[in-house]
């Protein structure tokens, strides 16, 4: 029997392992492969994490050619990892791209009965599409995409960090549909808040439109929405669409350790408990589970979006006020990273209070 491996040892790999273990139990994963074990856990749910160099020493050339390797790392590095694996003699590769990830994770969550898919909802094909605007947030210094998508008419570009561009004398006029330094804004906080200056700007300036729903995506990442999905959302009175949560090992709390100092995490926990005791009481329960909402992307009813922002921004403001160094002295994106944890906390606590559905996401290069 051919050996089966997963290349990668972070959330994408952990999610793939969970899905395969449930949906295709005959596929026994021999080990997780990584370029270097430094910075990686020694095992994931009992399956060892090994450096690819050590594994290849144990295999013959024939065994390497016959082995099946799932490549479960961010799609942006797929070309690099393919070259690495082929250099070691592996040729039977399955690239776990966003489409395959969405399909498998959708099947997995449907099977365990959690994180319902929007595609499970019925709809009238002849109905009108709901009115919405999704704001594709991009930093003014972002590099242009090599393969830019043809965006739907309801997706509008929103430039971020425009306060910094203006102070630097950089002309960004006529580059986007909207700019985060207009109207009521926190554009000056973009070095720490990143895409969260987009959420704030939409909250304060764009909820008085005729749209039924509002959304935030990134210029490089977006939800895999179709016109049929929009009909499902409206006809089933969906409150929120989120990307399928990613699965982290040993639990969701590990995500913050890759991006922010522990003292910032503990400060966030304290502030949440002070401002919203009911969420503080759920904090450990949420982050001891493996599921985590990455990317700060969503589509929501305007009322739900406003409620979420009204809950979120007092926490972020207090974090910047009390952190050491204070937020005004930092440019390390820490509150943006913490926002992913806060999004996870808010919507996990409200899974049964809101009609929340999920879908896959797309990555553009």
């Amino acid at each position: 029997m051919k050996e089966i491996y997963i290349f990668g040892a972070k959330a994408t790999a952990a999610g793939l392992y969970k899905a395969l273990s449930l949906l295709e139990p005959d596929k026994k994963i021999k080990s997780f492969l990584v370029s270097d074990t430094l910075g990686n856990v020694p095992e994931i749910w009992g399956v060892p994490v090994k450096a690819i160099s050590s594994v290849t020493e144990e295999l013959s050339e024939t065994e390497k050619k016959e082995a099946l390797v799932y490549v479960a790392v961010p799609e942006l590095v797929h070309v690099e990892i393919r070259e690495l694996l082929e250099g070691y003699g592996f040729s039977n590769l399955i690239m776990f791209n966003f489409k395959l990830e969405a399909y498998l994770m959708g099947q997995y969550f449907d099977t365990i009965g959690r994180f319902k898919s929007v595609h499970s909802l019925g709809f009238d094909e002849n109905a009108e599409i709901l009115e919405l605007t999704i704001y594709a947030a991009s930093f003014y210094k972002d590099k242009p995409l090599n393969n830019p998508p043809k965006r739907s008419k309801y997706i509008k570009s929103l430039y971020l960090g425009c306060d910094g561009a203006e102070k630097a004398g950089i002309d960004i006029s006529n580059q986007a549909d909207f700019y985060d330094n207009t109207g009521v804004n926190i554009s000056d906080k973009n070095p720490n808040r990143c895409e969260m200056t987009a959420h704030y700007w939409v909250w304060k300036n764009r909820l008085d439109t005729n749209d039924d729903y509002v959304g935030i995506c990134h210029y490089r990442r977006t939800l895999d929405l179709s016109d049929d999905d929009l009909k499902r959302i409206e006809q089933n009175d969906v409150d929120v669409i989120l990307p399928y949560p990613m699965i982290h090992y040993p639990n969701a709390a590990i995500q913050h350790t890759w991006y922010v100092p522990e003292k910032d995490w503990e400060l966030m926990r304290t502030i949440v408990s002070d401002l919203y005791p009911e969420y503080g009481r759920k904090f450990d329960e949420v982050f001891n589970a493996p599921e985590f909402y990455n990317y700060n992307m969503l589509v929501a009813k305007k009322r739900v979006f406003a409620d979420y922002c009204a809950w979120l921004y007092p926490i972020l403001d207090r974090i910047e006020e009390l952190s050491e160094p204070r937020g005004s002295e930092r440019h390390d994106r820490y509150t943006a990273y913490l926002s992913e944890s806060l999004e996870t906390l808010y919507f996990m606590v409200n899974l049964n209070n809101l009609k929340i559905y999920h879908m896959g996401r797309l990555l553009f290069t």
Side-chain angles (χ1 to χ4, degrees):
M1 180 180 294
K2 69 175 64 174
E3 304 286 10
I4 303 176
Y5 300 91
I6 294 176
F7 187 93
K10 293 293 192 293
T12 303
L16 172 59
Y17 175 78
K18 277 289 192 181
L20 289 177
S21 297
L22 180 65
L23 302 173
E24 302 182 50
D26 57 314
K27 290 185 175 180
K28 303 298 182 183
I29 306 303
K30 179 78 171 180
S31 67
F32 292 88
L33 304 178
V34 293
S35 302
D36 191 331
T37 56
L38 184 66
N40 286 297
V41 293
E43 54 87 22
I44 298 175
W45 289 301
V47 178
V49 176
K50 296 184 175 181
I52 188 171
S53 57
S54 66
V55 171
T56 53
E57 292 176 356
E58 304 167 359
L59 302 176
S60 67
E61 292 302 314
T62 299
E63 288 172 327
K64 285 188 284 187
K65 288 181 180 179
E66 292 180 349
L68 175 62
V69 182
Y70 287 88
V71 178
V73 294
E75 205 165 336
L76 290 171
V77 296
H78 274 193
V79 172
E80 174 186 338
I81 299 304
R82 178 186 288 277
E83 292 175 352
L84 173 71
L85 289 166
E86 290 177 345
Y88 275 104
F90 294 98
S91 57
N92 192 8
L93 310 179
I94 295 179
M95 312 307 289
F96 196 50
N97 59 26
F98 276 71
K99 285 286 190 182
L100 181 56
E101 181 180 12
Y103 172 76
L104 279 179
M105 298 317 297
Q107 293 291 310
Y108 171 76
F109 287 126
D110 283 348
T111 301
I112 67 173
R114 299 193 70 204
F115 306 108
K116 294 174 288 188
S117 168
V118 71
H119 299 125
S120 66
L121 298 173
F123 69 102
D124 177 2
E125 296 181 3
N126 298 316
E128 294 293 321
I129 297 174
L130 84 166
E131 292 189 29
L132 82 162
T133 302
I134 296 177
Y135 297 88
S138 62
F139 184 50
Y140 74 92
K141 289 184 179 180
D142 285 334
K143 295 179 180 179
L145 296 172
N146 294 321
N147 301 291
K150 181 180 179 181
R151 295 195 183 275
S152 300
K153 64 181 180 180
Y154 55 79
I155 297 181
K156 305 297 183 182
S157 56
L158 171 57
Y159 254 27
L160 307 184
C162 300
D163 178 77
E166 187 175 274
K167 290 177 179 176
I170 300 172
D171 182 12
I172 55 173
S173 59
N174 302 316
Q175 299 297 310
D177 296 310
F178 300 102
Y179 300 85
D180 77 342
N181 65 338
T182 60
V184 181
N185 70 85
I186 53 171
S187 182
D188 62 316
K189 292 181 180 291
N190 184 262
N192 288 327
R193 299 283 180 97
C194 298
E195 66 271 12
M196 301 316 294
T197 67
H199 288 64
Y200 187 91
W201 185 85
V202 171
W203 175 35
K204 293 298 185 180
N205 300 284
R206 298 296 296 175
L207 297 190
D208 60 352
T209 67
N210 293 326
D211 294 330
D212 301 308
Y213 288 74
V214 67
I216 304 286
C217 69
H218 306 164
Y219 86 110
R220 188 182 292 278
R221 292 188 183 92
T222 187
L223 292 168
D224 191 10
L225 274 170
S226 67
D227 287 350
D228 285 348
D229 293 328
L230 297 180
K231 295 174 184 178
R232 292 183 176 100
I233 293 168
E234 182 172 41
Q235 293 171 33
N236 292 276
D237 197 33
V238 172
D239 287 318
V240 185
I241 296 292
L242 293 165
Y244 287 117
M246 300 193 76
I247 294 178
H248 293 263
Y249 177 84
N251 53 40
I254 197 173
Q255 194 268 357
H256 78 271
T257 66
W258 304 330
Y259 302 109
V260 297
E262 194 66 23
K263 63 181 181 180
D264 291 330
W265 171 262
E266 291 301 328
L267 176 62
M268 181 186 74
R269 177 207 291 268
T270 299
I271 291 171
V272 167
S273 296
D274 288 345
L275 294 180
Y276 308 109
E278 66 276 25
Y279 288 87
R281 288 190 290 271
K282 293 283 189 177
F283 194 95
D284 288 334
E285 177 184 338
V286 167
F287 292 108
N288 282 335
E291 297 90 4
F292 187 94
Y293 287 123
N294 288 76
Y295 306 123
N296 285 318
M297 292 194 302
L298 78 167
V299 171
K301 289 180 179 177
K302 290 193 293 187
R303 171 188 56 79
V304 174
F305 182 81
D307 288 346
Y308 169 54
C309 289
W311 176 90
L312 173 68
Y313 283 94
I315 301 173
L316 298 182
D317 291 343
R318 186 74 67 86
I319 290 172
E320 289 192 343
E321 178 185 351
L322 298 180
S323 63
E324 296 181 3
R326 292 164 62 95
S328 59
E329 301 168 6
R330 298 169 66 162
H331 297 85
D332 59 359
R333 304 193 291 176
Y334 76 118
T335 50
Y337 289 127
L338 291 175
S339 295
E340 290 182 295
S341 296
L342 291 168
E343 181 186 59
T344 298
L345 178 64
Y346 185 85
F347 289 110
M348 291 295 182
V349 170
N350 287 291
L351 275 178
N352 296 322
N353 303 325
L354 296 170
K355 294 179 71 172
I356 300 175
Y357 287 84
H358 303 81
M359 63 170 44
R361 59 195 184 278
L362 298 176
L363 174 71
F364 307 119
T365 57

